[in-house]
Amino acid sequence: MSLLTRLVLRVVGVAVLCLAAATAWIVIDTNRALQAETTATADRVARQIQRRPWLGSAHESAYEDPFSTRQALGVITVMGSGICVDITSSSGSQQHMCNGSDTLGITTPNWFAAVSAGVLHAGQPVRRTISSWSGKRSEVLVRADPVAAPARAWRQIRLAAGLALAMAAGMAVLIAASIAHALRPAEAIVSGIRRLEVGDYASRLPPFAAREFGQIAEAFNAMAQRLERTLAERKALTLRLFQVQE
């Protein structure tokens, strides 16, 4: 495997590790965001129910069954995305509402849902109790939709993965071009060594801009010069021996 290929593969490996770290961070952040949104929604829904005019002290009968269309619409407007709300009135009637608008148009792959099942969770449900002036109580139970966690994480991971792959591909191309240009002196050095191998002791390497390659060129040229001088001295000595024998 060439040095260029090794370096490019290392860059790709670093990009994959960065993507894995980003995925882990997204998973943790998704869990935290859902739990925070669950708590915030519980507070907003409780305030929304308490402030509605038909739920005040003058309308106790309405308070016992706060599930009119107007009330449901008022609750939905303060619900966070991917959050479900269960309201139990003092009379025992229940209303279940979910707001999954953040996952609209997004289909979580089955393999991702299976892999993330042990990591992603909907967090702990949050309860709020609403009391009327007469002491009657209604209960609000807010929890994150179990589908919301993987859907929200998949949306962010898909975006992060797309950006990471695009950046990794662009970096790989730019780095490959830069490395190929930087390693161009290596081809000249190998060519010079091969010329030296076949007996071309007059071969010299040009100076290189890179300090490391420049030092190699200086050492090569010095070695070639010594070999050339040694060969010339040997030829001269051999010629003298022939002259003496004659």
Side-chain angles (χ1 to χ4, degrees), residues 25-226:
W25 180 85
I26 288 173
V27 169
I28 295 173
D29 183 69
T30 298
N31 285 330
R32 291 177 178 176
L34 280 175
Q35 188 61 51
E37 187 60 34
T38 300
T39 303
T41 297
D43 295 334
R44 291 196 299 265
V45 170
R47 288 195 301 267
Q48 178 71 14
I49 292 177
Q50 287 178 332
R51 75 161 60 104
R52 301 306 293 176
W54 54 87
L55 298 181
S57 58
H59 300 276
E60 182 65 26
S61 60
Y63 188 86
E64 295 178 357
D65 190 13
F67 302 132
S68 64
T69 302
R70 294 178 60 189
Q71 176 62 12
L73 291 175
V75 171
I76 291 175
T77 57
V78 297
M79 289 173 56
S81 297
I83 303 297
C84 293
V85 175
D86 294 309
I87 304 176
T88 303
S89 68
S90 58
S91 62
S93 59
Q94 294 183 342
Q95 177 77 356
H96 175 76
M97 292 175 284
C98 282
N99 183 7
S101 59
D102 67 336
T103 61
L104 187 62
I106 298 177
T107 302
T108 305
N110 294 331
W111 64 266
F112 181 79
V115 170
S116 61
V119 181
L120 290 169
H121 55 83
Q124 297 297 323
V126 179
R127 296 179 183 271
R128 294 290 184 268
T129 300
I130 306 170
S131 301
S132 68
W133 66 275
S134 61
K136 294 182 179 181
R137 296 184 177 182
S138 295
E139 186 177 81
V140 176
L141 177 64
V142 181
R143 55 183 174 80
D145 188 347
V147 182
R152 182 177 295 187
W154 173 249
R155 180 182 61 183
Q156 297 183 25
I157 290 173
R158 185 177 62 174
L159 177 61
L163 292 175
L165 290 176
M167 292 178 62
M171 289 175 59
V173 172
L174 293 177
I175 291 175
S178 299
I179 293 175
H181 178 74
L183 292 179
R184 193 170 298 171
E187 299 178 359
I189 293 173
V190 171
S191 178
I193 293 174
R194 287 176 178 172
R195 290 196 302 270
L196 195 66
E197 183 182 10
V198 298
D200 184 8
Y201 299 111
S203 174
R204 299 291 186 272
L205 293 178
F208 299 114
R211 182 168 60 95
E212 293 78 5
F213 287 126
Q215 292 174 347
I216 294 175
E218 291 177 1
F220 176 88
N221 293 338
M223 180 184 65
Q225 187 176 7
R226 286 194 300 271

